[in-house]
Amino acid sequence: MSDIDNRVVMYYQTHYRNGAFVSPLPMIGYVTHVLLAAFHLNMGNVGPDIVHLNDYMPSADYFAPMWPELAQVQGNGTKVMGMLGGAAGGTYDCLTDELFDTYYPPLRDVILDYNLDGMDLDVEQWVSPAVIERIITTMKSDFGDEFIITLAPVATALTEGGNLSGFNYIDLEAKLGHLISFYNAQFYSGFGSFFPEDQYVKIVEYEQGIDPGRITATVLTNSANGYGYISTDSVVASIKNLMTKYGTQWGGVGGWEYFNSLPDSSQPWQWAVTMKEAMAVQKAKMLKAAKEKESREEENRKEKVNSRMFRL
């Protein structure tokens, strides 16, 4: 397996703070994936009004400053995805077999209209395996192999523990893992912690295992965002330990959410900067150690050659 670009994923749900637009532009260069949250499907609505981004239709004036900036973010190499679902229930009730042809097409149109690179399926309600499988296979069929499909289970669900989704993620991975780019596992809210990193390792080693390159550890960026916050220093410590164990063959970290990220909520992109730098520093140490080892081995080889020549 070749090296992967360790991800820094950021959820972008709060788009205004104290009346001021929260620009995604400062994330350029530091975040690999921006996950625009949260898209919902509304039972009983019709046409374009079926799909809302938080409280508004995506075309609302409320989002007018956001879409061109997200296009600029994409233009600088960051993937911009949608997040479907989340804590507000009901979205996936609209995607059962009998309702799929009514409620899926408007979602497909939004993905096309706003040039989204993928969709993060955050299922926090009971959903049957057949429903989630149909969503995944239909999106891949509609948008092609380059379209990124991720899921956002609570961390315990990846070892068949606590699970908010109804379906079994281990079974889904065995059946459709080849269509799922990676998992944004939620290591908070009582379903796990990223510090220490033992739970991450248990997920990798559980049963058939999920490749560490496909597991992003999502953490809270501020204690105000939920239960189970760990400091940026703790996240950095686990990054160091996991890169010592897996090298660059692990998935990276994600943050919920952008607008108030610590260590400085007035400059929320600093969280992503810290994460990217932590991985870069560790990678540099690994490369230095590898070069030093290679140099020692070369010196040993030369000494052996010289020793044989001297005996001759």
Side-chain angles (χ1 to χ4, degrees):
M1 181 189 301
S2 60
D3 283 359
I4 61 171
D5 182 15
N6 302 126
R7 292 179 291 273
V8 179
V9 176
M10 185 61 80
Y11 283 90
Y12 178 43
Q13 180 177 44
T14 301
H15 309 123
Y16 289 83
R17 187 180 191 185
N18 299 324
F21 176 61
V22 179
S23 172
L25 294 180
M27 289 190 273
I28 291 174
Y30 305 110
V31 172
T32 59
H33 299 73
V34 172
L35 271 54
L36 179 61
F39 286 95
H40 303 285
L41 305 181
N42 296 293
M43 185 82 74
N45 291 17
V46 296
D49 194 43
I50 285 173
V51 183
H52 280 197
L53 177 56
N54 297 328
D55 298 325
Y56 305 95
M57 291 172 57
S59 59
D61 290 343
Y62 185 83
F63 298 117
M66 182 188 73
W67 291 117
E69 291 202 359
L70 285 177
Q72 189 173 341
V73 170
Q74 280 180 310
N76 282 272
T78 297
K79 300 298 184 182
V80 174
M81 303 168 55
M83 187 203 91
L84 182 67
T91 288
Y92 291 93
D93 293 333
C94 297
L95 295 172
T96 57
D97 279 348
E98 59 270 23
L99 298 174
F100 196 90
D101 290 338
T102 297
Y103 289 95
Y104 173 78
L107 175 62
R108 179 194 59 211
D109 292 346
V110 165
I111 293 170
L112 290 169
D113 289 346
Y114 295 98
N115 193 34
L116 297 177
D117 293 302
M119 191 62 68
D120 182 53
L121 306 178
D122 187 356
V123 185
E124 300 188 18
Q125 64 178 94
W126 191 93
V127 171
S128 74
V131 167
I132 196 67
E133 289 168 15
R134 183 175 184 184
I135 295 169
I136 292 170
T137 55
T138 302
M139 284 185 172
K140 277 295 186 183
S141 176
D142 284 347
F143 303 113
D145 291 340
E146 297 302 311
F147 190 75
I148 303 167
I149 294 179
T150 63
L151 284 93
V154 293
T156 49
L158 295 180
T159 51
E160 298 184 290
N163 184 359
L164 300 179
S165 307
F167 56 87
N168 185 300
Y169 280 89
I170 301 304
D171 292 345
L172 181 68
E173 168 67 10
K175 187 171 184 179
L176 292 183
H178 61 290
L179 301 180
I180 299 167
S181 298
F182 52 91
Y183 294 92
N184 296 302
Q186 300 178 41
F187 284 81
Y188 51 88
S189 294
F191 295 99
S193 176
F194 188 55
F195 181 79
E197 67 284 350
D198 303 18
Q199 187 177 12
Y200 187 101
V201 174
K202 287 179 181 177
I203 292 171
V204 174
E205 296 177 350
Y206 184 77
E207 290 195 357
Q208 84 274 11
I210 301 174
D211 190 286
R214 295 178 55 243
I215 305 171
T216 304
T218 307
V219 301
L220 300 175
T221 61
N222 189 309
S223 61
N225 296 344
Y227 168 71
Y229 170 76
I230 61 173
S231 70
T232 53
D233 287 345
S234 295
V235 178
V236 168
S238 289
I239 287 173
K240 178 180 178 180
N241 292 337
L242 286 171
M243 291 190 75
T244 299
K245 184 175 181 66
Y246 297 118
T248 55
Q249 306 298 328
W250 77 292
V253 293
W256 179 272
E257 58 169 313
Y258 173 55
F259 83 104
N260 63 350
S261 298
L262 298 175
D264 182 354
S265 62
S266 68
Q267 299 181 10
W269 57 90
Q270 291 296 334
W271 185 90
V273 173
T274 300
M275 299 304 122
K276 181 174 180 179
E277 288 181 349
M279 287 186 274
V281 166
Q282 193 62 21
K283 186 172 183 179
K285 289 180 179 178
M286 292 161 50
L287 290 173
K288 181 180 178 182
K291 288 181 179 178
E292 289 175 348
K293 180 181 178 182
E294 183 180 353
S295 179
R296 288 194 301 270
E297 290 174 346
E298 178 64 16
E299 287 298 321
N300 290 336
R301 186 189 67 80
K302 288 179 179 178
E303 288 179 4
K304 289 179 180 178
V305 170
N306 291 337
S307 176
R308 285 196 299 267
M309 292 179 65
F310 178 77
R311 288 196 300 270
L312 292 173

